[in-house]
Amino acid sequence: MTVFGFTLVFLATFFFMEFMAWFSHKYIMHGFLWVLHKDHHLKDHDSWFERNDAFFIIYAVISMSFLLAGVNTNFWFGYPIGIGIMAYGATYFMVHDIFIHQRFKLFRNANNWYARAIRRAHKMHHKHIGKEDGECFGMLIVPFKYYRNELKSK
């Protein structure tokens, strides 16, 4: 495994995870696993934890599986894939749970065009409280109109 190969696989995995987040959010979370995701849209609980948090565990198990395969076998690119999934998960947690939903009171003053665009797109996603008719399922990359509107507003 070369540093270049590791970096290439890591970056490809990280960026592919944005597509996976969009896909799983649209077709799995708003599909057959809505039962786990709906409490994220309908605050029908008093707990800090949500059933929706199970998705972090699912992706963590996938990441650890790739890490173990990369470390314990000749499947060398399992290691950078596992690290890429883990890095995306950490980024997703910081953006979604900390920055957007303020589960921890950090990053409250982020006010650049990119931050405003992803916050607005996510707000548009949450205006739909049911599993149908959703929009803006991505996290780090949202429809271009949100970037354009924020760039024009300043």
Side-chain angles (χ1 to χ4, degrees):
M1 163 177 33
T2 66
V3 172
F4 178 75
F6 182 97
T7 304
L8 187 64
V9 172
F10 166 80
L11 289 173
T13 301
F14 184 89
F15 289 112
F16 180 72
M17 285 305 296
E18 176 65 11
F19 167 76
M20 286 304 301
W22 171 86
F23 180 87
S24 63
H25 191 181
K26 183 170 182 157
Y27 296 108
I28 297 172
M29 293 177 188
H30 281 257
F32 66 94
L33 286 180
W34 176 249
V35 69
L36 292 177
H37 185 60
K38 74 179 173 182
D39 71 335
H40 182 64
H41 286 264
L42 304 166
K43 299 296 182 196
D44 62 354
H45 55 86
D46 294 327
S47 175
W48 185 82
F49 291 102
E50 300 175 343
R51 290 181 300 273
N52 184 63
D53 294 335
F55 292 106
F56 285 116
I57 296 167
I58 293 167
Y59 277 110
V61 168
I62 294 168
S63 174
M64 288 186 287
S65 298
F66 275 105
L67 285 168
L68 287 170
V71 170
N72 295 324
T73 69
N74 287 334
F75 185 65
W76 70 266
F77 48 94
Y79 192 66
I81 289 172
I83 297 289
I85 294 169
M86 182 178 63
Y88 185 85
T91 304
Y92 190 100
F93 180 75
M94 285 190 298
V95 170
H96 182 263
D97 288 85
I98 296 176
F99 172 65
I100 292 173
H101 288 290
Q102 290 290 299
R103 285 176 91 173
F104 299 99
K105 305 302 180 201
L106 302 169
F107 309 128
R108 298 178 114 180
N109 298 324
N111 196 27
N112 64 52
W113 63 272
Y114 176 75
R116 287 190 314 271
I118 61 172
R119 188 179 275 148
R120 169 63 60 197
H122 201 75
K123 187 174 279 197
M124 295 308 294
H125 174 74
H126 275 272
K127 82 175 187 175
H128 304 282
I129 58 172
K131 76 185 240 185
E132 285 86 23
D133 300 323
E135 59 182 296
C136 302
F137 292 96
M139 180 50 51
L140 301 177
I141 302 170
V142 298
F144 188 70
K145 68 182 179 180
Y146 294 101
Y147 301 121
R148 185 177 58 243
N149 290 345
E150 292 305 327
L151 286 168
K152 276 199 268 183
S153 71
K154 282 291 176 176

